[in-house]
Amino acid sequence: MSGDPEQRWAGDAPPPAHESAQPPSHLPAVLVLGALGALIGASFWTLELRWGDFLAADALGKMAEFIAGFFPPAADARFLARVGTATGETLAMSALGTVLAVVLAVVLAVPASRVPTSAGTALLRGTTRLALNGLRSIPELVWAAMWVIAAGLGPFTGTLALAAHTLGVLGRLFADTFENLPPEPARTLRENGAHPLAAWLYATLPQALPQLLSYTLYRWENNIRAATVLGVVGAGGLGQLLYFHLSLFQMREAATVIIAMLVLVGLVDAASYWARRRLSR
């Protein structure tokens, strides 16, 4: 090439990277951290936090006396049999509620997601998402209180409450999972004459299955914990047994129920962790 070297540089190659690149701006992160710090400071300022009363010798003594009432836990055979039955109810409530929610969440996640196999319009997608938002915005305890009025006391009420809230959570997570998958496999099947539903079943669903199972196991862990507190409104299981004995100040029996809760949650957490590790391989 001929001509001035400076003209060749200007026309043939970009300037050096160190001249054109600009350092990233940290202003958004600083603003977010500043807003969080201001929110935390305002929380301490507005809430009536009586740390002095909480840490006073008299308060600590009453707490120690209350905790001492839980020991030794009740261990007679008849009561342990009741605890075992309530543990089975809690496990069944959480498992059945999660399964019902998963089945309905898969059905609703398709119209709620932006995927080519979704048969719905933008109106249907918005309506479905709004319904899922409403389901998960209502806590399980409120769902249980409403179902008690319709279905009465017992584990069935707790199962419905867990299923309703979990449906809202998993439906949104499943829809987002479907949207974030690469569309090429399903598109290839459709271009070769496959029905959209068949393309979804053989291309989209297999890709999403590991993530769906991971979300399902995580929500099952949460539902075990939620099922233990639904007994406050008479939804059965360990929660109802705990509420009954605490209301009668039978602390030793309540301690046995709490131990059963801890063991059940620990076992489910371990099983769920093992299953997720196997799925991630």
Side-chain angles (χ1 to χ4, degrees):
M1 295 179 62
S2 60
D4 187 64
E6 295 184 359
Q7 294 178 354
R8 293 201 305 271
W9 169 263
D12 296 342
H18 69 273
E19 294 182 4
S20 60
Q22 297 182 356
S25 175
H26 298 288
L27 182 60
V30 172
L31 291 177
V32 171
L33 291 176
L36 290 176
L39 179 61
I40 294 173
S43 300
F44 277 98
W45 180 264
T46 56
L47 294 178
E48 187 179 356
L49 302 177
R50 298 181 295 178
W51 293 106
D53 296 341
F54 177 72
L55 299 175
D58 182 58
L60 294 178
K62 291 180 179 179
M63 290 175 60
E65 181 181 356
F66 177 77
I67 294 174
F70 286 94
F71 298 95
D76 59 278
R78 179 176 297 181
F79 181 70
L80 290 179
R82 291 179 56 199
V83 172
T85 302
T87 302
E89 287 184 354
T90 298
L91 184 62
M93 285 165 52
S94 64
L96 183 56
T98 303
V99 169
L100 291 175
V102 168
V103 173
L104 295 176
V106 172
V107 174
L108 294 179
V110 176
S113 60
R114 292 192 184 95
V115 293
T117 52
S118 177
T121 62
L123 178 61
L124 178 59
R125 178 179 179 275
T127 303
T128 308
R129 290 241 171 184
L130 183 62
L132 294 174
N133 291 341
L135 287 171
R136 72 172 179 270
S137 297
I138 302 175
E140 295 96 335
L141 199 60
V142 178
W143 277 116
M146 292 190 294
W147 289 121
V148 162
I149 299 174
L153 302 176
F156 181 59
T157 298
T159 301
L160 293 178
L162 293 174
H165 180 79
T166 305
L167 171 58
V169 176
L170 290 182
R172 177 59 186 271
L173 292 175
F174 288 2
D176 292 343
T177 300
F178 292 149
E179 288 185 354
N180 294 329
L181 293 175
E184 289 79 10
R187 182 185 303 148
T188 301
L189 290 179
R190 292 195 307 274
E191 290 176 351
N192 285 275
H195 190 274
L197 180 59
W200 185 85
L201 289 175
Y202 289 101
T204 302
L205 186 59
Q207 292 182 87
L209 193 58
Q211 190 66 42
L212 302 187
L213 289 176
S214 179
Y215 284 141
T216 299
L217 291 172
Y218 176 69
R219 283 305 308 178
W220 185 35
E221 295 177 25
N222 292 341
N223 285 343
I224 283 285
R225 301 180 183 93
T228 58
V229 300
L230 292 182
V232 174
V233 293
L238 287 172
Q240 185 171 348
L241 197 61
L242 178 64
Y243 178 74
F244 173 77
H245 289 291
L246 283 178
S247 63
L248 297 178
F249 297 98
Q250 296 174 348
M251 313 310 291
R252 296 178 57 225
E253 287 77 6
T256 303
V257 177
I258 293 173
I259 292 173
M261 289 179 175
L262 295 175
V263 172
L264 179 60
V265 170
L267 291 176
V268 171
D269 283 350
S272 179
Y273 176 75
W274 177 84
R276 287 201 302 270
R277 287 286 301 272
R278 298 283 295 180
L279 288 172
S280 62
R281 291 182 180 179

